[in-house]
Amino acid sequence: ADLVLVPIKQYKRNGKILCGIRKGTARCMGRVLAETLDTSYKLARFLSRTLDDIAFNDEPDKYCRLNPHYDLQPGSIFESFEQAYSSLSREMMTAAHAIIAIPYEEQEDIGGYAKTVVRALPIAVLRPVIGATEAVSFALLGFRNAVQPNKKKEEESQWL
């Protein structure tokens, strides 16, 4: 609508249609950018949660689904990168613990150690992927909140 209505209003106001086309195009591109960031953020968050469900299908008590990291709205792009780094490092540490510490604690002999390492491999592979998708979702959320600060306020007020 901005591509058509803004130039028409500008032409009726002062007869400068090119200025109206420029303003309408800028508004339209801003909305397209904001919606692209919002959709990409939601897709990355969905992928992260789905992978999380896959990784902990057998062990529902070990991880609380009410993860507070999903509910934090970054106030700036810098905060979103801090949350992204925190998420990625947390999942990398979980993967390292699964592949190194747990087999060491549960080893009985060298064969038992190898079996435990093999059982921990899916978690060791999925956890960094989950961390990366969470990191991407936090970065996209930060960019979206920078482009559309009113969207952040809407979502915060919706859940309070």
Side-chain angles (χ1 to χ4, degrees):
D2 287 337
L3 287 174
V4 176
L5 295 179
V6 172
I8 290 172
K9 286 180 185 176
Q10 188 74 26
Y11 180 74
K12 287 180 181 178
R13 188 177 316 138
N14 58 13
K16 295 182 179 180
I17 196 164
L18 290 178
C19 183
I21 291 172
R22 187 173 353 121
K23 286 181 182 179
T25 304
R27 277 192 197 169
C28 181
M29 289 299 118
R31 287 186 180 169
V32 167
L33 173 66
E35 289 303 318
T36 301
L37 287 171
D38 190 44
T39 303
S40 299
Y41 154 70
K42 288 178 181 177
L43 180 65
R45 187 180 63 185
F46 172 77
L47 181 61
S48 175
R49 288 185 176 190
T50 303
L51 288 172
D52 198 26
D53 287 342
I54 291 170
F56 281 100
N57 194 20
D58 298 334
E59 308 164 5
D61 297 334
K62 285 194 175 183
Y63 188 72
C64 179
R65 287 300 298 147
L66 300 173
N67 190 345
H69 299 288
Y70 286 118
D71 301 328
L72 299 175
Q73 286 276 336
S76 67
I77 294 174
F78 182 71
E79 283 182 26
S80 72
F81 284 128
E82 285 179 346
Q83 289 176 346
Y85 175 77
S86 171
S87 173
L88 186 59
S89 63
R90 181 185 66 244
E91 298 301 336
M92 292 296 281
M93 291 302 292
T94 303
H97 185 264
I99 199 76
I100 296 169
I102 292 174
Y104 181 73
E105 292 169 359
E106 295 180 3
Q107 84 177 13
E108 296 168 7
D109 58 359
I110 197 69
Y113 182 78
K115 287 179 190 176
T116 310
V117 168
V118 169
R119 270 187 279 155
L121 277 176
I123 291 175
V125 170
L126 280 178
R127 280 288 152 205
V129 173
I130 291 168
T133 56
E134 280 182 10
V136 168
S137 73
F138 283 130
L140 289 170
L141 181 62
F143 284 121
R144 190 215 55 193
N145 288 344
V147 172
Q148 279 188 321
N150 58 343
K151 187 85 167 177
K152 176 185 182 243
K153 291 175 186 172
E154 281 177 24
E155 287 183 358
E156 285 178 341
S157 66
Q158 180 181 10
W159 298 108
L160 291 178

